[in-house]
Structure formats: structure tokens, C-alpha cells
Amino acid sequence: MWIERIELEGFGNLTGEKIEFREDRLNLVLERNEYGKSTIAEAIWAVLYDYPPGQRTSESKLKERDARKPLAAGTFKACLDIVHKARKLRVVRDFNEKTVRVFDRGKGDCEVTGEFLSGPNRDEVGLKLTGMSRDLFRRTCFVGQRELAEYGFAGDLDLSALLQSIADGSGAATTTSATALSVLEDAQSHFSYMGKKYKVDRLIAELSARRDELSERVARLEADRARAGEDLRRLTELEKALADEDKRIKSAEYFHLCLEAAELDARLMKAQERLLRVSDLKRQLGELSGCENFPIERYRKVQELWTTRCARLSDYERLKGELDAKEKHVQAREMEIRERWEGLSQFSTDDAQMIASTARTLQNVLLELEEAEQKRKGELEQVKLEKIDLDNLSGVRKALLNLDARDIDDAYAYNAMINSAREQIGECERSVWRARMIQQEIDEQRKTKAASYRNIAILLGFVIVFLAAVYAGVVVGLKLAVTHPISVGAAVCALGAVVTLAVNCLLIFQARAYRLADYEKASDDEQRQSALGQELHSKIMGLEIKLEDIARKAGVANGAEL
């Protein structure tokens, strides 16, 4: 609780006095002796607690209340302006009338005395404001000059002597100011806070650090409030869009109702035409009923007409019931529309066309908003899957706001082209790998065929040599008249070797020519895809340079962060 000001309209020897007290400061009242300093202090607790009935002063037989009455039976009244739990109050006590009133200054001096009374004439103002009884408050929070003198404090310090001299107009003897200085020094060394004892300077440092921490927290809360304001603005825009959509729906509903009314009018006109036709037929039948010898062929036609008339009449009754129900519905809707939409009687065709055009435009905008919302949800899900902190992206968002729409579109386009080029590079690498695998497969198949062809040639050579040996043996064994049989065998062996060599060369050539077209196609694909991959790498480098330029414009570190 902080006492801001005390006003003494009449208390003791003081009349019309106003004393203000500074907050968080030591307030020292310097006046001559017998001015009324103790009277001011006593007035504080007297306004809070009033004088107990029947209690007398120690110096005389007067009651305490009577001892402080102003001279000449003047006004005996005082008031306090206090701040209690961030609530500004004014306590006004009239000692003559023995009444107390409490006003809330923060609510236009609204009287709240009832909050501080526990019953009729049960004054608990001081108890509820300080939390202490009258006697406890006087012993702990209110110390008079005479009570301080009992401690026998002798001030040896110059400051103590100066304050004593100023306060009491005496020397360095035991005075109220010296005792007060001792109490203040002791309070500074053993200041009680939160159930513990602290030095005042240390407590002030800790509280200052706590205040700085709370200031930072308040700054963060202010930033959160700013972000909440931005969200509120967006919510307002969405509400406005919803209101426009509601207007569009109501306009469309009105047009549908107009169409239904026009359709009902058309059906009503047709029904009226049929009623006129039925009336005409009835009139003709009435004229024919008086004729004698009515022709039989006419009778059949009349009978058919009568049957048709009955059917039409039943249709008429049914349509009339439907029309009545529709007409009541239309009237109700018309009344509702007239009440809801004033001035629709002056609604023209141009206005309808303009509203229809506006409705189509709004519908297109809503579709675009829905697509953007779906895209935003997809991007948000992707961001959540990537475990990216959205709060850390506020700087990136501000950087993107600094970009022009054209730069943003270019950045999207460059990013899409880079992703496409990377996909193409991956496809090129897969194509090169497939071409190389095809070449390896053809090489393996060629080696296998060459080995098989070589074995066939060697086998053929052995067969020819064997046949030559058999021929030489037959010739020698039968002693045929063949000149130089050995030479003939050698010639046959040489011929076999030549044939074997020729066959081997032919087979090796065929093995090397195996799947030559596929091999050459795979080689061409490999070269072409490799060249395309190099071109795509160069293209990606150029696009990344352009993204770096846009990132520098936005104030972002690099193109990847952009």
C-alpha cells in the first residue's frame, strides 16, 4: 500500500494542510518543533483505524479523540489518498460525526465503503487495507518521536548530527532523526523480502535483472501481439470474402426464385386458357341440349369431349391445388425477399447482368482461393514432413515480400527448370548406364561366340589331319601306284591347315560382327546422353547464378535458401 497524499481539513493544530508523499522514496518532513509532525503521523493511523472508544492519553485524562480536536470547535476531519493493489482509493473520516467513507478514484469517485464494513458500524478499513490490527500497526509501522527516544541512540556521524539539528533544532543528542537513520541502516542491511533477508543494493540488482528479463519477455509478447494482429487482419479479410460469398449466394437464390415465379405465371396462363376452353364447351353443350334428334355421330364426339373435359377438370383441380401451394410459397418468399432486399423493384436487366458478371468473377476468385488454399496446405504438410520451424522462416518471408512479383515468378520458374534439368540428368545417367550394360553384354556374347568358333576350327583341323594320315596309311598299306604318297599327305595336311585357318578367320570375323548395329546404337546413345548431361549441367549452373542474383535482391544468403 502507498499513501499518495494526506489532507487535514482540521486535525489538532493543523488546518487546511496537504502533504504529498513520493513513491519509492524516503519522505522527510523538516519543520520546526511543535509544528505538528507527530500530529501528521497520528492522523495517518487515525484516518485508517479511527480512535478506540474510551481510550485516554497518557499525559492527561482526555480521550485521544478529544485531545486532537481543533481549536474553536472547528471541523475535525481528514482524508487519505492511497493506492492499494493497483486500485486508487480515497478514505475520508469525519471524527465529529464518527463516520468514514471510501471512494474509488479510478472509477470516478464511486463510493465503495460497503467493501470495508463487515456489518453495521463495523469499521474495518485499516484492517482490510494493511492486513494488521490497530495496535499492531501502531507498534510496527508507526513509530513516534517519543518511542524512538527510548532506544537511547547517540548519533556520532556528521549526517546524523545534521539531520538531528535540522529536525529538532538541537545538537547531536539522541533525536528522532538519529534513531530513524539507525533503523534505516539496519533495514538496508537486513531488508525482508519474500521471507528472506537481503541487502538493499543486492536486492535492487536482482530485481533490476528480473525487470530486464520481464522487459524482454514483454518485448516478445509484443511481437506475438503484432503477429496476432496480422492474423486478425487476415481473418477480417476472410470474413469479408465470406460476406461477399453470402451476398452472391443470396443473389443467385433470388434469381432462381424469380425464374420459378415466371414458370408459375406461365403455367397459370395455360390453366386459364384451358378454363376458357372448358367454359366455351359447356356453353356449346348447353345450346345442343335443346336440339331434338341429336345425331349419333355427334353424340360420340360430344361423349369423347365430355370425357376429355372431366379429365381436364381433374387436371385443373390438381394444378389449381399445386398453384395455390406454389402461390402461397411464392408470396411468402416474395415477402421475405422484399423485407431482406429493399429496392429490388428498381432492379433492371443491366443490373442483373452486372451482378451475374460480378458473381462469375467472384466464383472464379473463390476457385482460385480454394486452389491456393489447397496448395498452401500441401506446402505446409511438406514443410512439416521436412521438420522445418516456421518461426525461423519469418525472416525469409520478409525477404520474399521485398521481391517483385516478376522476380518471384522467375524464381519459381528457375527452380522448376533446375528440378526438371536434374531429373533429365538422372534419366541421362540411367540411359548411359543402360548403353554401357548393353555394350558389355554384346562383348561377353562376342567372346563366347569367338571361343566356340575357335573350338570348331581346331576340331575341323584335327579331322583334316586325321583324314590325311588315314589316306597315307591306306596308300602305303595297299601299295597303290601313287608317286610320292608322303608328299601327297603333306599337301593334304597343308591344305587342311589352310582351310582351318581360313575358317577360323571367318568365324572370328563373324563373332566380331555379332550385333554390330546394337553395339553402335548403344555407343551413339552413350555419347549423345553424355553430351546432353553436360549441357544440362551447364544450364543448371546458369540458372543457379540467376537464382543467386534474385536471392541477393531479397537479402537471402543463397539460392538454395531462397
Side-chain angles (χ1 to χ4, degrees):
M1 184 183 72
W2 165 42
I3 301 176
E4 290 182 334
R5 182 171 59 254
I6 181 171
E7 296 183 9
L8 303 174
E9 187 174 346
F11 192 90
N13 61 335
L14 298 177
T15 302
E17 285 289 337
K18 294 182 181 180
I19 301 174
E20 296 184 357
F21 300 98
R22 294 284 302 276
E23 186 180 10
D24 298 331
R25 293 291 186 274
L26 175 62
N27 295 273
L28 183 63
V29 180
L30 300 177
E31 293 292 345
R32 64 187 181 279
N33 286 338
E34 300 302 326
Y35 170 78
K37 300 186 291 295
S38 299
T39 303
I40 295 171
E42 183 176 341
I44 293 175
W45 71 261
V47 172
L48 291 174
Y49 291 96
D50 197 5
Y51 288 101
Q55 187 170 347
R56 301 181 181 274
T57 61
S58 58
E59 292 85 359
S60 65
K61 299 301 182 179
L62 294 175
K63 295 181 180 180
E64 287 187 341
R65 184 188 303 272
D66 297 335
R68 291 300 181 185
K69 279 187 177 181
L71 300 176
T75 303
F76 191 13
K77 187 177 182 181
C79 72
L80 283 177
D81 288 347
I82 63 176
V83 178
H84 178 258
K85 296 181 180 180
R87 187 181 181 187
K88 294 184 177 181
L89 301 173
R90 173 170 294 169
V91 182
V92 181
R93 189 175 291 277
D94 192 334
F95 296 97
N96 285 331
E97 301 292 336
K98 297 183 181 181
T99 60
V100 62
R101 301 179 69 185
V102 184
F103 301 92
D104 192 338
R105 294 180 293 148
K107 296 182 179 179
D109 290 336
C110 177
E111 185 172 358
V112 292
T113 309
E115 298 180 9
F116 300 92
L117 301 178
S118 60
N121 300 324
R122 293 298 299 274
D123 183 0
E124 293 186 359
V125 176
L127 179 62
K128 292 191 176 181
L129 290 177
T130 64
M132 294 183 286
S133 63
R134 179 191 297 105
D135 296 334
L136 181 61
F137 180 79
R138 292 190 64 177
R139 288 196 302 271
T140 58
C141 299
F142 171 70
V143 182
Q145 178 178 357
R146 298 178 181 82
E147 295 172 356
L148 286 173
E150 295 176 359
Y151 291 99
F153 179 80
D156 296 331
L157 300 178
D158 294 337
L159 179 61
S160 174
L162 179 61
L163 291 176
Q164 290 170 359
S165 177
I166 294 172
D168 296 325
S170 62
T174 302
T175 62
T176 304
S177 59
T179 308
L181 287 174
S182 175
V183 173
L184 289 175
E185 290 175 357
D186 183 67
Q188 286 182 346
S189 300
H190 304 86
F191 187 78
S192 178
Y193 178 73
M194 302 292 289
K196 295 183 180 180
K197 301 291 184 178
Y198 296 91
K199 286 187 176 182
V200 172
D201 53 353
R202 179 183 175 186
L203 179 61
I204 290 174
E206 292 179 357
L207 293 177
S208 299
R210 177 60 177 168
R211 183 193 63 187
D212 296 338
E213 181 182 354
L214 293 176
S215 299
E216 294 178 358
R217 185 176 180 185
V218 168
R220 290 195 298 270
L221 292 175
E222 286 293 335
D224 294 338
R225 185 182 65 80
R227 288 194 294 270
E230 181 66 20
D231 295 337
L232 182 61
R233 183 186 62 80
R234 294 178 59 191
L235 181 60
T236 304
E237 292 178 356
L238 291 175
E239 288 179 351
K240 184 178 179 182
L242 289 175
D244 295 338
E245 176 64 14
D246 185 54
K247 290 181 179 178
R248 183 189 67 80
I249 293 173
K250 290 178 179 178
S251 299
E253 183 181 0
Y254 171 73
F255 287 135
H256 288 305
L257 291 175
C258 290
L259 293 175
E260 289 180 3
E263 184 181 357
L264 291 174
D265 289 338
R267 294 177 66 181
L268 185 59
M269 291 296 293
K270 291 182 179 179
Q272 289 177 353
E273 291 177 358
R274 290 181 180 178
L275 285 174
L276 292 175
R277 179 61 177 166
V278 168
S279 299
D280 191 14
L281 290 175
K282 285 181 177 180
R283 182 182 55 80
Q284 293 178 4
L285 287 174
E287 293 176 354
L288 294 174
S289 62
C291 297
E292 296 180 358
N293 300 323
F294 193 78
I296 190 62
E297 61 273 7
R298 297 292 182 183
Y299 177 76
R300 292 178 179 176
K301 290 182 180 181
V302 170
Q303 190 176 12
E304 291 176 359
L305 289 174
W306 182 257
T307 305
T308 306
R309 181 255 183 194
C310 293
R312 293 291 183 268
L313 185 60
S314 61
D315 293 339
Y316 166 75
E317 295 294 337
R318 180 175 54 82
L319 289 174
K320 185 178 179 181
E322 294 178 359
L323 286 174
D324 291 339
K326 293 288 185 181
E327 186 175 1
K328 291 181 181 178
H329 180 69
V330 168
Q331 289 177 356
R333 296 296 293 177
E334 185 177 0
M335 291 294 295
E336 183 180 355
I337 291 170
R338 287 179 179 176
E339 292 176 356
R340 184 182 298 178
W341 305 98
E342 296 181 359
L344 285 179
S345 58
Q346 291 82 21
F347 197 77
S348 62
T349 306
D350 295 335
D351 295 334
Q353 292 178 356
M354 182 177 64
I355 291 176
S357 177
T358 306
R360 287 193 295 270
T361 304
L362 288 175
Q363 187 174 7
N364 294 330
V365 170
L366 286 175
L367 292 175
E368 292 177 359
L369 285 174
E370 290 178 357
E371 292 177 359
E373 182 67 19
Q374 294 296 330
K375 183 177 179 181
R376 175 182 175 277
K377 289 182 179 178
E379 292 176 354
L380 184 60
E381 292 295 332
Q382 185 177 0
V383 167
K384 290 181 179 179
L385 290 176
E386 295 293 337
K387 296 181 179 179
I388 298 175
D389 190 2
L390 294 178
D391 294 335
N392 296 331
L393 297 180
S394 60
V396 178
R397 179 177 177 273
K398 293 180 180 178
L400 291 177
L401 292 176
N402 295 329
L403 291 177
D404 296 334
R406 182 176 180 182
D407 292 334
I408 294 175
D409 294 338
D410 292 341
Y412 276 117
Y414 294 157
N415 188 26
M417 293 170 68
I418 288 174
N419 294 331
S420 178
R422 287 175 179 170
E423 292 178 358
Q424 292 180 5
I425 288 174
E427 187 64 29
C428 291
E429 291 177 352
R430 289 190 291 271
S431 299
V432 169
W433 180 80
R434 284 196 296 269
R436 289 177 180 175
M437 293 301 295
I438 291 173
Q439 291 177 356
Q440 292 179 3
E441 181 182 0
I442 292 174
D443 289 336
E444 294 294 332
Q445 291 178 358
R446 285 179 177 178
K447 289 179 182 179
T448 303
K449 286 186 176 295
S452 63
Y453 291 162
R454 190 180 298 110
N455 293 331
I456 292 172
I458 292 172
L459 180 61
L460 182 60
F462 278 116
V463 170
I464 293 174
V465 171
F466 177 74
L467 293 176
V470 171
Y471 170 75
V474 171
V475 170
V476 173
L478 297 178
K479 297 180 179 180
L480 298 175
V482 178
T483 59
H484 305 290
I486 298 175
S487 299
V488 173
V492 173
C493 289
L495 179 61
V498 171
V499 171
T500 302
L501 180 60
V503 171
N504 192 14
C505 292
L506 179 62
L507 293 176
I508 290 172
F509 176 75
Q510 289 181 353
R512 289 182 177 178
Y514 177 73
R515 296 183 65 182
L516 182 61
D518 294 338
Y519 192 87
E520 291 177 353
K521 182 179 179 182
S523 179
D524 293 339
D525 290 341
E526 180 183 1
Q527 294 177 1
R528 186 173 66 257
Q529 295 296 334
S530 298
L532 180 59
Q534 294 296 328
E535 292 178 0
L536 291 173
H537 277 295
S538 301
K539 183 179 179 181
I540 289 174
M541 291 178 65
L543 293 174
E544 287 179 348
I545 291 172
K546 292 180 180 179
L547 277 177
E548 293 289 340
D549 295 337
I550 297 175
R552 283 194 292 273
K553 289 181 182 179
V556 186
N558 49 41
E561 186 175 350
L562 177 64

